[in-house]
């Protein structure tokens, strides 16, 4: 039995990567939402997650069929674990060269794009084009990140032939699903080819299920939205 601990679906981009991957792949897994009440040391979130994972962060995957419960933390480690546990799902591209490239772009996402992540935090239920315009005008790091993402996606779609980044759905698409959410929420400018890919991502059942969950939360957290203090 697999159990995935996640944060608020509306805000937690790292949780979304693991959740979309599991959902789209049709892997049986129990979801446990640990609400973001605060990230302070004494918060319920921190206490709950510290008892599960040494990092005290989400997402965390627990495989109860292994020993006393194998704990896998960090989104990339979770993706690799699932790819090994369910080889028939082909979560990485089937071609070895494409797998190497997919791992490269996921690692780039894992450690990079800090401008976009900092200035455009994920907020699925929101529509913030005015905020996006100001960010686009004032934050060169965001423009640089989007330029790199656009170039990457266009190259991969043309090479692989679509509809996903490597032809079929893979870990890479799950990894960039939160980026799609950010680009939509803040209405950042992208070319038609990228916009079409974003639409295809949003229609994936695994993404639709996550978005539906995010919209149903109706849980406004002011510390997650310093740019929007009322709804």
């Amino acid at each position: 039995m697999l159990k995935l601990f996640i944060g608020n679906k509306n805000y937690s981009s790292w949780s979304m990567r693991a959740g979309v991957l599991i959902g789209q792949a049709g892997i049986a897994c129990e979801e446990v939402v640990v609400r973001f009440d605060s990230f302070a040391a004494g918060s319920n979130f921190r206490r709950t997650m510290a008892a599960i994972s040494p990092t005290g962060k989400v997402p965390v995957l627990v495989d109860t069929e292994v020993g006393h419960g194998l704990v896998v933390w960090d989104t990339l480690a979770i993706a690799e674990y699932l790819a090994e546990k369910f080889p028939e799902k082909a979560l990485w591209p089937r071609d070895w060269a494409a797998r190497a490239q997919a791992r490269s772009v996921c690692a780039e996402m894992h450690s990079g794009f800090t401008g976009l992540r900092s200035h455009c935090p994920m907020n699925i239920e929101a529509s913030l084009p005015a905020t996006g315009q100001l960010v686009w005008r004032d934050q060169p790091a965001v423009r640089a990140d989007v330029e790199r993402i656009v170039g990457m996606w266009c190259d991969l779609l043309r090479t692989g032939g679509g509809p996903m980044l490597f032809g079929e759905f893979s870990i890479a698409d799950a990894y960039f699903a939160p980026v799609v959410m950010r680009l939509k929420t803040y209405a950042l400018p992208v070319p038609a080819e990228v916009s079409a890919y974003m639409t295809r991502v949003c229609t994936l059942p695994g993404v639709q299920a996550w978005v539906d969950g995010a919209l149903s939360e109706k849980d406004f957290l002011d510390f997650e939205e310093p740019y929007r203090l009322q709804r």
Side-chain angles (χ1 to χ4, degrees), residues 172-192:
D173 300 294
Y175 237 73
F176 283 102
V179 173
V180 171
M181 298 299 110
R182 287 178 161 101
L183 295 175
K184 281 173 55 63
T185 294
Y186 298 91
L188 300 182
V190 296

Side-chain angles (χ1 to χ4, degrees), residues 19-42:
V20 164
L21 178 62
I22 289 170
Q24 186 63 24
I27 296 171
C29 182
E30 178 188 352
E31 257 184 12
V32 181
V33 179
V34 183
R35 181 178 181 268
F36 288 163
D37 60 330
S38 165
F39 299 123

Side-chain angles (χ1 to χ4, degrees), residues 46-194:
R46 290 296 296 274
R47 291 197 311 271
T48 300
M49 293 311 304
I52 299 166
S53 163
T55 65
K57 299 177 180 179
V58 288
V60 174
L61 183 72
V62 178
D63 190 340
T64 60
E65 297 177 355
V66 180
H68 296 291
L70 175 65
V71 178
V72 185
W73 62 94
D74 187 279
T75 309
L76 198 52
I78 292 170
E80 291 284 12
Y81 181 75
L82 294 172
E84 290 188 355
K85 186 176 179 69
F86 301 98
E88 73 280 3
K89 300 289 187 180
L91 299 181
W92 288 116
R94 300 173 192 273
D95 176 75
W96 66 271
R99 282 199 303 276
Q101 194 171 23
R103 284 188 168 101
S104 295
V105 298
C106 287
E108 183 178 354
M109 179 67 249
H110 198 265
S111 61
F113 302 111
T114 54
L116 180 65
R117 296 196 333 221
S118 297
H119 297 290
C120 299
M122 192 176 83
N123 190 336
I124 292 174
E125 67 87 18
S127 177
L128 302 169
T131 301
Q133 288 180 353
L134 293 175
V135 168
W136 190 258
R137 183 194 69 187
D138 298 337
Q139 302 297 335
V142 173
R143 297 195 298 271
D145 283 351
V146 172
E147 181 181 9
R148 168 58 187 147
I149 289 165
V150 166
M152 175 200 296
W153 289 359
C154 287
D155 287 347
L156 293 175
L157 290 168
R158 291 165 189 167
T159 300
M164 298 290 107
L165 294 178
F166 291 90
E168 300 176 335
F169 172 82
S170 73
I171 290 168
D173 300 294
Y175 237 73
F176 283 102
V179 173
V180 171
M181 298 299 110
R182 287 178 161 101
L183 295 175
K184 281 173 55 63
T185 294
Y186 298 91
L188 300 182
V190 296
E193 186 175 3
V194 167

